[in-house]
């Protein structure tokens, strides 16, 4: 007999103390995001030991991988939203059926993307402007890491199924296993075996395999209510329409945003290898700074999803306000401290010993840290719209964020103000702040209260 979802957890999300619910979900998500970022941070640290060219190469090609990952995450994000809404409406059988449809879409997409990207890699790396060793290193890295997409998508599927039920702890443990393996394999392959950047990519690939196997076994466990079972599987047209309606905007928004990041990296590359490396280090450290906002945004997406499924609009609204206050207060204090140069510079030095890179990366990090509180408004508002299924709004704001605000600011600062590489730094923080303002203003229109999917 299938094990029912914990009524204590469902009751907490639908009726319990909201601060407790937000923190119970958000803290493991923050830790999980930090653990996931450790893959790239570990690569950055050890590649810094063997040369700036390797760091520049990974910075140049990483957005390519991120485009594919973000497009695929549109599918699993849709799954998490739809499953949580079914659970909130107490339609558990429908939630299980939705999980089967999501899993099938993820598997097909992962294998197709991995194959196409592997074949197209030489042209992509060349188009990015890479030459000499940076081209060789970048091609070697991207061709290996794209092979981990099927494994990564199974891990993401595991995360979506558990998070929709209010369980963010088990996904954290699963990713902890992967990053622990990566921490061991990176120095072994890069330093001991002297395999260079290919060793970093191979370590990342191999580290995901055990986690993916555990994810598959867990998802196929028939003792759990939400499990994958294709025996007697019946294709449901309405569920596929729901996945496309919710997931496609997320996929397009995430991938086009990452494509914008790719073009940003291409622009930074025009300022030279030193600027590219500084940009990569700053972005990776910033991904840690904004973990609280990401975690809280992800948490309220689940809470809002279940409450929208239960037709409890007032509780969803209350969740938004509490989460926003927690996130903005924490990031303002933390960002102010980290923006101080005597704190930012030692952090940068941990990732690079290049005296030309350090001042640029420190300047970029200090500026982003000072303005990181705006990420709370962006991520929490995004979590609200996501939980309600209004992913089209998120897609449009993300598109304007990169293709409008960021590139316009970059052009103005570089062409009109002649600020050089600092144009890149300011384009990032200004575009982030303006997009956060857009989402926050859209919240006050009340458009998020309109149901996008009929849960039957």
């Amino acid at each position: 007999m299938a094990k029912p979802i914990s009524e204590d957890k469902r009751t907490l999300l639908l009726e319990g103390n909201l601060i407790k619910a937000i923190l119970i979900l958000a803290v493991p998500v923050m830790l999980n995001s930090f653990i996931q970022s450790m893959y790239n941070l570990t690569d950055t640290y050890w590649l810094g030991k063997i040369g700036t060219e390797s760091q520049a190469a990974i910075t140049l090609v990483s957005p390519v991988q991120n485009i594919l990952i973000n497009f695929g995450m549109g599918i699993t994000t849709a799954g998490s939203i739809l499953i949580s809404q079914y659970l909130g409406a107490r339609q558990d059988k429908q939630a299980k059926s939705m999980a089967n449809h999501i899993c099938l879409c993820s598997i097909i997409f992962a294998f197709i993307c991995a194959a196409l990207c592997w074949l197209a890699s030489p042209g992509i790396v060349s188009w990015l402007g890479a030459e000499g060793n940076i081209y060789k290193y970048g091609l070697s890295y991207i061709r290996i890491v794209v092979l981990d997409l099927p494994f990564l998508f199974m891990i993401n599927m595991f995360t979506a199924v558990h998070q929709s039920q209010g369980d963010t702890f088990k996904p954290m443990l699963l990713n902890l296993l992967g990053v622990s393996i990566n921490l061991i394999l990176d120095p072994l392959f890069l330093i001991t075996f002297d395999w260079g950047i290919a060793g970093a990519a191979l370590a990342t690939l191999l580290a995901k395999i055990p986690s993916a196997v555990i994810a598959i076994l867990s998802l196929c466990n028939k003792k759990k209510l939400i499990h994958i079972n294709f025996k007697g599987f019946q294709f449901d047209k309405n569920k596929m329409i729901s996945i496309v309606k919710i997931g496609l905007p997320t996929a397009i928004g995430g991938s086009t945003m990452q494509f914008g990041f790719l073009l940003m990296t291409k622009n930074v590359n025009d300022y030279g290898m030193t600027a590219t490396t500084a940009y990569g280090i700053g972005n990776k450290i910033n991904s840690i700074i904004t973990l609280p906002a990401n975690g809280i945004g992800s948490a309220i997406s689940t809470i809002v999803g279940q409450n929208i499924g239960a037709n409890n609009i007032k509780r969803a609204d209350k969740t938004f306000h509490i989460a926003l206050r927690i996130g903005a207060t924490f990031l303002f204090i933390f960002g102010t401290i980290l923006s101080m140069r005597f704190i930012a510079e030692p952090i940068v030095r941990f990732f690079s010993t290049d005296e030309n890179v350090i001042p640029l990366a420190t300047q970029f990090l200090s500026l982003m840290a000072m303005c990181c509180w705006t990420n709370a408004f962006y991520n929490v508002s995004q979590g609200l719209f996501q939980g309600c299924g209004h992913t089209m709004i998120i897609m449009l704001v993300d598109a304007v964020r990169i293709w409008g605000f960021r590139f316009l600011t970059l052009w103005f600062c570089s062409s009109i103000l002649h600020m050089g590489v600092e144009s890149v730094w300011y384009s990032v923080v200004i575009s982030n702040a303006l997009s956060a303002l857009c989402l926050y203003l859209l919240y006050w229109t009340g458009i998020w209260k309109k149901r996008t999917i009929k849960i039957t």
Side-chain angles (χ1 to χ4, degrees), residues 228-363:
I228 307 302
N229 183 8
F230 292 111
K231 183 179 180 180
F233 174 79
Q234 291 184 340
F235 178 80
D236 189 326
K237 179 182 175 182
N238 291 328
K239 283 188 172 56
M240 290 304 299
I241 291 173
S242 296
I243 292 170
V244 172
K245 188 174 181 179
I246 300 295
L248 190 59
T250 303
I252 294 174
S255 57
T256 53
M257 186 172 66
Q258 289 298 328
F259 185 68
F261 292 157
L262 185 67
L263 293 182
M264 281 293 294
T265 305
K266 194 172 186 294
N267 275 285
V268 177
N269 198 44
D270 292 338
Y271 291 101
M273 181 178 63
T274 299
T276 302
T277 305
Y279 179 68
I281 292 172
N283 272 333
K284 287 179 175 64
I285 298 173
N286 184 57
S287 68
I288 297 177
I289 299 172
T290 55
L291 286 181
N294 293 335
I296 294 171
S298 182
I300 78 158
S301 177
T302 300
I303 299 172
V304 167
Q306 288 213 16
N307 280 280
I308 289 295
N311 288 315
N312 195 341
I313 301 294
K314 287 185 178 180
R315 185 171 173 83
D317 192 26
K318 187 177 180 181
T319 302
F320 170 79
H321 286 287
I322 292 174
L324 186 59
R325 287 196 290 268
I326 294 173
T329 301
F330 181 85
L331 282 185
F332 180 78
I333 296 171
F334 184 58
T336 301
I337 295 171
L338 196 58
S339 67
M340 299 174 185
R341 189 177 183 87
F342 70 90
I343 294 176
E345 185 172 324
I347 296 174
V348 170
R349 285 186 179 277
F350 182 77
F351 295 99
S352 178
T353 56
D354 191 323
E355 292 300 325
N356 294 317
V357 169
I358 290 169
L360 282 179
T362 301
Q363 181 189 45

Side-chain angles (χ1 to χ4, degrees), residues 300 304 313-314 316-322 324 377 380-382 384-385 388 393 397 435-449:
I300 78 158
V304 167
I313 301 294
K314 287 185 178 180
D317 192 26
K318 187 177 180 181
T319 302
F320 170 79
H321 286 287
I322 292 174
L324 186 59
F377 284 82
V380 173
S381 300
Q382 184 185 56
L384 173 72
F385 283 107
C388 296
I393 290 174
V397 173
S435 59
L437 178 62
C438 286
L439 277 178
Y440 187 61
L441 292 176
L442 284 168
Y443 156 77
W444 286 105
T445 67
I447 192 174
W448 60 274
K449 297 177 184 178

Side-chain angles (χ1 to χ4, degrees), residues 128-195:
L128 287 170
E131 298 177 346
N133 284 336
I134 293 182
Y135 172 84
K136 183 177 71 173
Y137 295 155
L139 179 60
S140 176
Y141 184 83
I142 195 65
R143 274 198 153 176
I144 295 174
V145 294
V146 295
L147 298 179
D148 78 1
L149 287 176
F151 306 110
L152 177 63
F153 281 23
M154 287 312 303
I155 296 169
N156 288 344
M157 180 66 197
F158 176 91
T159 301
V161 167
H162 281 266
Q163 185 167 321
S164 66
Q165 300 174 77
D167 178 11
T168 54
F169 186 72
K170 289 186 182 68
M172 180 197 72
L173 293 179
L174 190 67
N175 279 294
L176 180 60
L177 171 64
V179 79
S180 299
I181 296 172
N182 192 53
L183 284 168
I184 297 170
L185 294 182
D186 252 345
L188 181 66
F189 290 174
L190 268 75
I191 308 300
T192 305
F193 295 166
D194 195 24
W195 288 351

